[in-house]
Amino acid sequence: RSVGFVSARKPHRAWDELLRFSKPDAMMVLGGSEVFGTWALQNQLRTLFIGGETGRHVIPMVMVKASLMLRQALERLITTGHRRILIPLCGRIPKFTENTKRQTLECAMELGVDPACIVHAESEYSSPEVLAAAMRQQWHKQPPDALIIFDWREYLAASHFLKEAAISIPDDVSVVLLSHNPTMNWHIPTLCHFTLPVEDIARACAKWAQHGKPLAGNQQLLEFRPRWVEGNSIANRTKKARPV
């Protein structure tokens, strides 16, 4: 196993050590990047990306489009009266950030609302402190009435900030989480989120890895659809979020 490849700007020494000690004949990369793809191809390592960005390389990939989840979340929030939706983008690769901003702009325009109602808190770094600081800054500027978080790990930091600031879900801010984690089932209130077809994805990866089979129909890209799960974290927005 190797980490730190998502935002890497050049190959890491740990990747070479991985090859030297593990001697893999295939590799599945969760959230691959163009830099990692370049390194894998140079080392003639059969590679499958589970999400991520292949860049200019032809690398097979299975994925669930974050854009599908993002669009559905925005539609739900906008149609329930939310007009200042915060989307933290900390530690994301530049292309992902660019695509997210473009997609949210298109969604706002199609739904007939001012694109300025969707705010992106950006940072090239990712840590609990960075995320909390980005949220604190936005609440001081103009309190959001909704929050879209990409994953459970980020939400843990976000929820700590909300608790410290005594911001209530969903009374003060609505929340949509784009991914799912079994621990979420214990969250009060229940969070609106998406589930992924994990078994189908795992089956496709196993066939590729164990039997040398290509993706379905010899495709280089195999997409799976997420499923919306209703929760109690969205309120019809009838009052402005209060400042901290």
Side-chain angles (χ1 to χ4, degrees):
R1 298 180 181 181
S2 182
V3 297
F5 50 80
V6 175
S7 57
R9 297 177 180 175
K10 61 181 181 180
H12 290 188
R13 184 178 301 173
W15 305 352
D16 295 326
E17 293 177 351
L18 178 73
L19 281 187
R20 188 156 54 93
F21 290 111
S22 300
K23 295 182 172 58
D25 54 18
M27 180 175 291
M28 292 184 290
V29 186
L30 181 61
S33 67
E34 184 174 3
V35 172
F36 196 89
T38 299
W39 173 84
L41 292 173
Q42 288 175 344
N43 285 278
Q44 299 182 331
L45 183 59
R46 186 167 173 262
T47 301
L48 174 71
F49 279 5
I50 306 173
E53 177 58 53
T54 61
R56 65 186 184 280
H57 302 306
V58 179
I59 297 174
M61 177 165 64
V62 298
M63 67 179 297
V64 176
K65 276 191 173 180
S67 60
L68 294 178
M69 296 185 282
L70 186 61
R71 180 179 182 82
Q72 190 169 345
L74 285 169
E75 288 178 349
R76 180 63 189 276
L77 291 170
I78 290 172
T79 56
T80 49
H82 297 79
R83 292 298 180 269
R84 187 167 174 82
I85 304 167
L86 176 62
I87 306 175
L89 292 169
C90 300
R92 304 287 175 174
I93 60 175
K95 189 165 185 177
F96 182 89
T97 298
E98 292 169 9
N99 288 341
T100 298
K101 293 168 70 175
R102 186 187 70 253
Q103 291 155 5
T104 56
L105 173 64
E106 292 173 355
C107 186
M109 294 178 67
E110 289 174 13
L111 293 173
V113 297
D114 184 353
C117 75
I118 304 173
V119 181
H120 304 93
E122 300 178 49
S123 175
E124 62 178 311
Y125 302 105
S126 177
S127 73
E129 295 78 14
V130 168
L131 181 60
M135 292 180 62
R136 187 176 300 108
Q137 183 182 38
Q138 291 301 323
W139 252 270
H140 281 309
K141 283 183 177 179
Q142 184 180 345
D145 56 20
L147 183 62
I148 296 179
I149 297 288
F150 278 94
D151 61 56
W152 177 246
R153 182 181 63 177
E154 288 181 322
Y155 179 72
L156 292 177
S159 65
H160 176 72
F161 163 77
L162 296 177
K163 182 179 179 181
E164 280 197 329
I167 299 170
S168 173
I169 301 171
D171 293 338
D172 298 319
V173 65
S174 295
V175 174
V176 177
L177 189 60
L178 297 192
S179 64
H180 178 261
N181 183 295
T183 310
M184 288 170 51
N185 298 333
W186 284 76
H187 192 277
I188 301 174
T190 56
L191 297 174
C192 297
H193 64 278
F194 293 86
T195 58
L196 309 182
V198 177
E199 290 185 3
D200 294 338
I201 294 172
R203 193 174 294 112
C205 292
K207 287 182 179 178
W208 176 89
Q210 296 178 349
H211 307 294
K213 294 185 177 180
L215 299 178
N218 294 320
Q219 300 178 71
Q220 290 295 329
L221 176 64
L222 187 57
E223 295 183 18
F224 295 87
R225 296 191 67 85
R227 181 175 68 88
W228 171 263
V229 179
E230 191 64 58
N232 297 316
S233 60
I234 293 180
N236 283 316
R237 200 51 58 201
T238 57
K239 63 179 182 178
K240 292 183 179 179
R242 59 182 176 79
V244 178

